[in-house]
Amino acid sequence: DIMMTQSPLSLPVTPGEPASISCRSSQSLLHSDGNNYLAWYLQKPGKSPQFLIHLGSNRASGVPDRFSGGGSGTEFTLKISRVEAEDVGVYYCMQALQAPFTFGPGTKVDIK
Amino acid sequence: QVQLQQSGPGLVKPSQTLSLTCAISGDSVSTNSATFDWVRQSPSRGLEWLGRTYYRSQWYNDYAESVKTRITINPDTSKNQFSLQLNSVTPEDTAVYYCTRSYRWAYDVWGQGTMVTVSS
Protein backbone atom coordinates (compact mmCIF):
# COMPACT_ATOMS: atom_id res chain seq x y z
CA ASP A 1 0.00 0.00 0.00
CA ILE A 2 1.10 3.61 -0.61
CA MET A 3 1.97 5.37 2.65
CA MET A 4 1.01 9.00 3.17
CA THR A 5 2.58 11.44 5.62
CA GLN A 6 1.66 15.03 6.48
CA SER A 7 3.33 17.98 8.18
CA PRO A 8 2.79 19.68 10.44
CA LEU A 9 0.36 17.55 12.46
CA SER A 10 -0.87 20.66 14.27
CA LEU A 11 -1.15 24.15 12.83
CA PRO A 12 -2.38 27.14 14.86
CA VAL A 13 -3.46 29.89 12.48
CA THR A 14 -4.46 33.54 12.63
CA PRO A 15 -7.61 34.57 10.73
CA GLY A 16 -6.72 36.50 7.61
CA GLU A 17 -3.25 34.98 7.42
CA PRO A 18 -2.14 32.27 4.96
CA ALA A 19 -1.63 28.62 5.90
CA SER A 20 0.12 25.71 4.24
CA ILE A 21 0.04 21.94 4.77
CA SER A 22 2.48 19.44 3.24
CA CYS A 23 1.73 15.89 2.16
CA ARG A 24 4.18 13.24 0.98
CA SER A 25 3.59 9.84 -0.57
CA SER A 26 5.82 6.75 -0.45
CA GLN A 27 5.68 6.49 -4.24
CA SER A 28 4.94 8.85 -7.07
CA LEU A 29 1.29 9.72 -7.63
CA LEU A 30 1.99 11.07 -11.12
CA HIS A 31 0.26 8.90 -13.68
CA SER A 32 1.34 8.54 -17.30
CA ASP A 33 -1.79 10.53 -18.22
CA GLY A 34 -0.18 13.57 -16.60
CA ASN A 35 -2.48 13.68 -13.56
CA ASN A 36 -1.42 13.47 -9.93
CA TYR A 37 -3.89 11.23 -8.11
CA LEU A 38 -3.99 13.15 -4.86
CA ALA A 39 -7.06 14.47 -3.04
CA TRP A 40 -7.60 16.73 -0.02
CA TYR A 41 -10.36 16.64 2.58
CA LEU A 42 -11.43 18.74 5.55
CA GLN A 43 -13.11 17.11 8.52
CA LYS A 44 -14.83 19.65 10.72
CA PRO A 45 -15.44 18.71 14.36
CA GLY A 46 -18.13 16.05 14.67
CA LYS A 47 -18.69 15.85 10.91
CA SER A 48 -17.84 13.57 8.00
CA PRO A 49 -14.85 14.46 5.82
CA GLN A 50 -15.73 16.91 3.07
CA PHE A 51 -14.16 16.81 -0.37
CA LEU A 52 -11.96 19.80 -1.23
CA ILE A 53 -9.58 18.98 -4.09
CA HIS A 54 -8.85 16.10 -6.46
CA LEU A 55 -6.21 15.36 -9.07
CA GLY A 56 -3.80 17.43 -7.02
CA SER A 57 -5.18 20.87 -7.83
CA ASN A 58 -8.83 20.71 -8.97
CA ARG A 59 -11.23 22.23 -6.45
CA ALA A 60 -14.53 20.46 -5.85
CA SER A 61 -17.73 22.29 -6.65
CA GLY A 62 -18.48 25.01 -4.11
CA VAL A 63 -15.01 25.07 -2.54
CA PRO A 64 -13.82 28.65 -2.05
CA ASP A 65 -10.92 29.79 -4.22
CA ARG A 66 -8.85 30.61 -1.14
CA PHE A 67 -8.06 26.87 -1.14
CA SER A 68 -5.46 25.71 -3.65
CA GLY A 69 -3.60 22.46 -4.17
CA GLY A 70 -0.21 22.01 -5.77
CA GLY A 71 2.77 19.75 -6.14
CA SER A 72 3.62 16.67 -8.17
CA GLY A 73 5.11 13.21 -7.82
CA THR A 74 5.57 12.57 -4.12
CA GLU A 75 5.29 16.07 -2.62
CA PHE A 76 2.10 18.08 -2.41
CA THR A 77 0.82 21.19 -0.68
CA LEU A 78 -2.57 22.55 0.33
CA LYS A 79 -2.62 26.31 0.74
CA ILE A 80 -5.23 28.57 2.26
CA SER A 81 -4.63 32.12 1.10
CA ARG A 82 -6.47 33.80 3.98
CA VAL A 83 -7.72 31.58 6.77
CA GLU A 84 -11.28 32.07 8.01
CA ALA A 85 -12.73 30.82 11.29
CA GLU A 86 -14.85 28.23 9.44
CA ASP A 87 -11.67 26.57 8.09
CA VAL A 88 -10.80 24.92 11.42
CA GLY A 89 -10.71 21.15 11.52
CA VAL A 90 -8.48 18.30 10.42
CA TYR A 91 -7.14 18.24 6.87
CA TYR A 92 -6.32 14.93 5.21
CA CYS A 93 -4.54 14.09 1.98
CA MET A 94 -5.41 10.85 0.20
CA GLN A 95 -3.79 9.01 -2.67
CA ALA A 96 -6.14 7.74 -5.38
CA LEU A 97 -3.54 6.24 -7.70
CA GLN A 98 -4.00 2.64 -6.67
CA ALA A 99 -6.35 0.61 -4.50
CA PRO A 100 -6.60 0.68 -1.61
CA PHE A 101 -6.83 4.46 -1.45
CA THR A 102 -4.87 5.56 1.62
CA PHE A 103 -5.00 8.65 3.80
CA GLY A 104 -2.46 10.74 5.63
CA PRO A 105 -2.63 11.05 9.43
CA GLY A 106 -4.23 14.48 9.28
CA THR A 107 -3.23 18.05 10.14
CA LYS A 108 -5.27 19.75 12.85
CA VAL A 109 -5.85 23.42 12.08
CA ASP A 110 -7.17 25.66 14.83
CA ILE A 111 -7.27 29.35 15.63
CA LYS A 112 -4.45 30.83 17.72
CA GLN B 1 -27.41 16.23 -5.40
CA VAL B 2 -26.10 12.85 -4.30
CA GLN B 3 -26.70 11.89 -0.68
CA LEU B 4 -25.83 8.83 1.37
CA GLN B 5 -27.87 7.93 4.47
CA GLN B 6 -26.49 5.35 6.87
CA SER B 7 -28.45 3.14 9.25
CA GLY B 8 -27.58 0.40 11.70
CA PRO B 9 -26.87 -0.30 15.36
CA GLY B 10 -24.24 1.56 17.33
CA LEU B 11 -23.46 -1.27 19.74
CA VAL B 12 -22.34 -4.78 18.82
CA LYS B 13 -21.22 -7.57 21.15
CA PRO B 14 -17.80 -9.19 20.69
CA SER B 15 -17.79 -12.15 18.26
CA GLN B 16 -21.05 -11.01 16.68
CA THR B 17 -21.68 -9.36 13.29
CA LEU B 18 -21.63 -5.64 12.59
CA SER B 19 -24.25 -4.72 9.97
CA LEU B 20 -24.71 -1.29 8.39
CA THR B 21 -26.71 -0.06 5.41
CA CYS B 22 -26.17 2.96 3.17
CA ALA B 23 -29.12 4.30 1.16
CA ILE B 24 -28.28 6.24 -1.99
CA SER B 25 -30.25 9.17 -3.40
CA GLY B 26 -29.36 11.12 -6.51
CA ASP B 27 -27.33 8.29 -8.05
CA SER B 28 -27.64 4.57 -8.68
CA VAL B 29 -25.70 1.78 -6.99
CA SER B 30 -25.55 0.23 -10.48
CA THR B 31 -23.79 3.19 -12.09
CA ASN B 32 -20.79 2.41 -14.28
CA SER B 33 -18.91 5.54 -13.26
CA ALA B 34 -18.49 5.22 -9.49
CA THR B 35 -17.75 2.77 -6.73
CA PHE B 36 -19.44 2.61 -3.35
CA ASP B 37 -17.09 2.09 -0.46
CA TRP B 38 -16.92 1.70 3.30
CA VAL B 39 -14.27 3.56 5.31
CA ARG B 40 -13.81 3.56 9.07
CA GLN B 41 -12.06 5.97 11.41
CA SER B 42 -10.52 5.31 14.79
CA PRO B 43 -7.87 7.11 16.87
CA SER B 44 -5.48 4.18 16.50
CA ARG B 45 -5.91 3.50 12.77
CA GLY B 46 -6.99 6.87 11.35
CA LEU B 47 -9.06 6.70 8.17
CA GLU B 48 -9.01 3.11 6.91
CA TRP B 49 -10.58 1.83 3.69
CA LEU B 50 -12.49 -1.43 4.22
CA GLY B 51 -13.90 -2.34 0.84
CA ARG B 52 -16.09 -1.46 -2.11
CA THR B 53 -18.74 -2.68 -4.49
CA TYR B 54 -19.18 -1.56 -8.09
CA TYR B 55 -20.86 -2.49 -11.34
CA ARG B 56 -19.01 -2.72 -14.64
CA SER B 57 -21.27 -5.00 -16.72
CA GLN B 58 -21.12 -7.31 -13.70
CA TRP B 59 -20.72 -6.84 -9.98
CA TYR B 60 -17.31 -6.63 -8.35
CA ASN B 61 -16.13 -6.39 -4.75
CA ASP B 62 -12.72 -5.53 -3.35
CA TYR B 63 -11.75 -5.82 0.31
CA ALA B 64 -8.91 -4.65 2.51
CA GLU B 65 -6.41 -7.34 3.41
CA SER B 66 -6.85 -6.55 7.10
CA VAL B 67 -10.53 -7.61 7.10
CA LYS B 68 -11.00 -9.69 3.96
CA THR B 69 -11.78 -12.93 5.80
CA ARG B 70 -14.56 -11.23 7.81
CA ILE B 71 -16.18 -8.68 5.49
CA THR B 72 -19.01 -8.72 2.97
CA ILE B 73 -20.29 -5.70 1.01
CA ASN B 74 -23.47 -6.23 -0.97
CA PRO B 75 -25.40 -4.01 -3.35
CA ASP B 76 -29.19 -4.00 -3.22
CA THR B 77 -30.51 -2.70 -6.53
CA SER B 78 -34.17 -2.97 -5.51
CA LYS B 79 -33.62 -0.47 -2.68
CA ASN B 80 -30.71 1.42 -4.27
CA GLN B 81 -28.45 0.85 -1.31
CA PHE B 82 -25.42 -1.15 -0.24
CA SER B 83 -24.49 -2.85 2.99
CA LEU B 84 -21.54 -3.77 5.16
CA GLN B 85 -21.26 -6.92 7.23
CA LEU B 86 -18.21 -7.48 9.42
CA ASN B 87 -18.13 -10.80 11.24
CA SER B 88 -16.47 -11.88 14.48
CA VAL B 89 -15.94 -8.34 15.71
CA THR B 90 -13.58 -7.45 18.55
CA PRO B 91 -13.09 -4.20 20.49
CA GLU B 92 -10.48 -3.26 17.83
CA ASP B 93 -13.36 -2.85 15.38
CA THR B 94 -14.76 0.02 17.46
CA ALA B 95 -14.77 3.02 15.13
CA VAL B 96 -16.86 5.51 13.21
CA TYR B 97 -17.97 3.80 9.99
CA TYR B 98 -18.65 5.84 6.84
CA CYS B 99 -20.14 4.91 3.51
CA THR B 100 -18.84 6.94 0.62
CA ARG B 101 -18.92 7.25 -3.16
CA SER B 102 -15.74 7.22 -5.20
CA TYR B 103 -16.18 9.29 -8.34
CA ARG B 104 -13.44 10.71 -10.55
CA TRP B 105 -10.65 9.57 -8.23
CA ALA B 106 -11.95 10.97 -4.99
CA TYR B 107 -14.48 10.21 -2.30
CA ASP B 108 -16.82 13.03 -3.20
CA VAL B 109 -19.88 12.17 -1.09
CA TRP B 110 -19.91 10.74 2.44
CA GLY B 111 -22.58 9.37 4.72
CA GLN B 112 -23.13 10.95 8.11
CA GLY B 113 -21.07 8.31 9.92
CA THR B 114 -22.10 5.68 12.47
CA MET B 115 -20.20 5.29 15.73
CA VAL B 116 -20.02 1.52 16.36
CA THR B 117 -18.84 0.30 19.74
CA VAL B 118 -17.92 -3.34 20.25
CA SER B 119 -18.61 -4.18 23.86
CA SER B 120 -20.44 -6.74 25.94
Side-chain angles (χ1 to χ4, degrees):
Chain A
D1 296 358
I2 297 176
M3 299 293 291
M4 306 298 293
T5 58
Q6 293 180 230
S7 63
L9 297 184
S10 179
L11 181 61
V13 296
T14 301
E17 294 295 307
S20 181
I21 299 169
S22 294
C23 173
R24 290 186 176 180
S25 55
S26 61
Q27 62 188 74
S28 177
L29 303 183
L30 179 61
H31 192 272
S32 57
D33 63 8
N35 289 312
N36 284 283
Y37 284 79
L38 189 283
W40 289 96
Y41 298 87
L42 165 60
Q43 187 172 31
K44 296 184 178 181
K47 300 294 187 181
S48 305
Q50 61 185 76
F51 172 40
L52 294 178
I53 286 171
H54 72 141
L55 297 178
S57 60
N58 295 300
R59 278 189 303 275
S61 176
V63 173
D65 60 7
R66 64 179 181 274
F67 291 93
S68 63
S72 184
T74 61
E75 299 197 10
F76 299 90
T77 304
L78 177 69
K79 294 183 179 180
I80 310 173
S81 58
R82 292 175 302 279
V83 173
E84 297 190 3
E86 66 183 21
D87 299 336
V88 300
V90 181
Y91 288 80
Y92 296 94
C93 60
M94 183 196 82
Q95 67 82 17
L97 180 68
Q98 66 184 46
F101 293 174
T102 46
F103 296 86
T107 295
K108 185 176 183 179
V109 172
D110 58 12
I111 301 297
K112 283 183 181 176
Chain B
Q1 179 185 2
V2 179
Q3 293 184 319
L4 303 177
Q5 180 68 38
Q6 299 177 218
S7 60
L11 180 63
V12 183
K13 290 181 167 51
S15 79
Q16 295 193 345
T17 297
L18 180 161
S19 296
L20 297 174
T21 299
C22 183
I24 305 164
S25 58
D27 197 359
S28 169
V29 71
S30 303
T31 181
N32 278 301
S33 57
T35 71
F36 291 94
D37 298 40
W38 288 97
V39 173
R40 68 182 177 184
Q41 184 175 32
S42 64
S44 59
R45 294 173 178 256
L47 286 161
E48 178 188 16
W49 176 80
L50 296 176
R52 63 183 179 180
T53 190
Y54 58 102
Y55 185 76
R56 301 289 187 270
S57 302
Q58 67 181 61
W59 287 103
Y60 295 91
N61 291 304
D62 297 315
Y63 299 128
E65 285 292 320
S66 61
V67 296
K68 70 175 183 177
T69 62
R70 303 191 289 130
I71 190 173
T72 303
I73 296 175
N74 282 324
D76 183 342
T77 57
S78 66
K79 295 182 179 179
N80 200 31
Q81 63 187 28
F82 63 109
S83 64
L84 167 69
Q85 286 193 314
L86 188 64
N87 303 325
S88 305
V89 297
T90 72
E92 288 196 352
D93 293 311
T94 294
V96 179
Y97 286 75
Y98 295 100
C99 61
T100 183
R101 182 182 80 159
S102 176
Y103 178 70
R104 299 191 69 185
W105 313 284
Y107 292 127
D108 66 333
V109 182
W110 295 69
Q112 78 274 24
T114 302
M115 177 66 215
V116 178
T117 300
V118 179
S119 174
S120 54

